[in-house]
Amino acid sequence: MTDITKVTHAPGITVWKQIVDDIQQRMDRGELQPGEKLPSEGALASTYGVNRHTIRRALQELAAIGRLHIAHGRGSFVASTVFDYQLEERPRFSEWIKKYNRPGSSEVLEAAIIPLQDLPELPRILRYEVFPDYPNVAMVETLGKLGEHPVSIARHLFFGERLLALVDDLQQGLGITVSLKKRGVSDYTRLKSSVSAELPQARERRLLAIDKSDPVFICENVNIDPEGVGIEFSTVIYPTSRVRLVYEPG
């Protein structure tokens, strides 16, 4: 950070708020990029001509309003862009990324046909009566990105003998919606979604490039075909620092 104007020490003008405004303006002008690390508290204190307590107060305020991410032991970083994900009737990753006019991708991390009885999700799946008792399911795990930002880890479980072929389809680069249509499912909708939050596991931190103190949303979804038959049970993990879940009844 260069060309810093010293703050004004005058009655009625809060020093830490001047620093907050200055750093925000630098973010808005693009002088500070998402993910960029700020100088240390000591360096900032020297640059602005204030004590470290004042700098710490300003950084805490920037973190509280979502402009800054403080990773203890690592420093303060400009927060990444937060993307709104609408919990709509028709869940489509491809449609979501189009809204932001950025390149998106869905990388297949793992794909396999798994016996239903071997699924750790089975107790939760059995709570829903929409899923037929198929012996095997197609499991596909994907890492979703918006631009360079990892925004989701999704574990998709597809039910139905004809849908076992989705394993091959997605490995070959087809999207879920395209593959489902290819296998005879012309449409599918969200029956229910349940959202919780927790701290990320080591693998999730690595894939999503987040800190261990960054919470994640865990969204459990049940999707059905036009006849009301359950075709997909998915668990999607979103980093709260990059994704905001939005529901608009209508």
Side-chain angles (χ1 to χ4, degrees), residues 34-35 79-81 83 102-103 144-152 208 242:
S80 299
T81 304
F83 304 100
R102 298 191 182 199
K145 289 185 177 182
L146 248 171
E148 295 300 316
H149 302 287
V151 292
S152 67
L208 296 173
R242 294 194 200 106

Side-chain angles (χ1 to χ4, degrees), residues 16-234:
W16 65 262
K17 182 63 166 59
Q18 293 179 57
I19 297 172
V20 168
D21 291 343
D22 183 67
I23 293 177
Q24 284 200 96
Q25 289 168 13
R26 292 173 184 277
M27 292 176 180
D28 294 339
R29 291 196 299 263
E31 295 176 22
L32 294 171
Q33 295 293 318
E36 182 175 342
K37 184 178 180 180
L38 266 62
S40 67
E41 290 182 1
L44 288 172
S46 177
T47 299
Y48 282 104
V50 298
N51 59 46
R52 293 181 63 165
H53 176 76
T54 300
I55 290 295
R56 190 173 298 119
R57 176 69 178 84
L59 297 181
Q60 289 172 345
E61 176 65 17
L62 286 164
I65 62 177
R67 299 304 303 271
L68 203 65
H69 168 64
I70 299 175
H72 297 291
R74 293 175 53 209
S76 299
F77 299 82
V78 179
S80 299
T81 304
V82 177
F83 304 100
D84 284 353
Y85 178 75
Q86 298 277 350
L87 293 174
E88 299 175 331
E89 182 182 15
R90 287 175 171 79
R92 307 288 190 269
F93 179 80
S94 58
E95 294 301 317
W96 175 35
I97 60 178
K98 285 180 183 178
K99 294 179 181 179
Y100 289 97
N101 195 30
R102 298 191 182 199
S105 63
S106 183
E107 174 190 351
V108 175
L109 301 174
E110 185 180 356
I113 295 174
I114 301 177
L116 178 65
Q117 296 302 317
D118 291 347
L119 293 175
E121 299 94 338
L122 185 58
R124 303 200 303 279
I125 292 171
L126 292 177
R127 285 184 284 176
Y128 302 99
E129 298 180 356
V130 296
F131 291 106
D133 187 18
Y134 293 113
N136 300 307
V137 300
M139 186 283 294
V140 180
E141 187 181 42
T142 59
L143 175 65
K145 289 185 177 182
L146 248 171
E148 295 300 316
H149 302 287
V151 292
S152 67
I153 302 171
R155 179 176 162 90
H156 306 274
L157 302 174
F158 297 102
F159 288 72
E161 199 66 31
R162 59 180 172 166
L163 299 188
L164 297 181
L166 266 70
V167 168
D168 291 332
D169 288 349
L170 270 69
Q171 284 179 327
Q172 294 170 15
L174 290 183
I176 289 175
T177 302
V178 173
S179 181
L180 287 172
K181 286 183 178 179
K182 180 180 178 182
R183 304 302 167 183
V185 180
S186 59
D187 190 19
Y188 63 100
T189 56
R190 187 190 308 270
L191 176 66
K192 183 176 181 179
S193 288
S194 302
V195 181
S196 58
E198 63 181 39
L199 292 176
Q201 302 297 315
R203 180 172 182 264
E204 295 160 6
R205 298 199 302 268
R206 176 175 58 81
L207 290 172
L208 296 173
I210 57 176
D211 190 74
K212 64 180 179 181
S213 60
D214 292 343
V216 293
F217 291 123
I218 301 176
C219 192
E220 186 177 281
N221 308 294
V222 176
N223 296 324
I224 57 176
D225 68 12
E227 284 70 48
V229 178
I231 61 166
E232 181 190 7
F233 181 93
S234 68

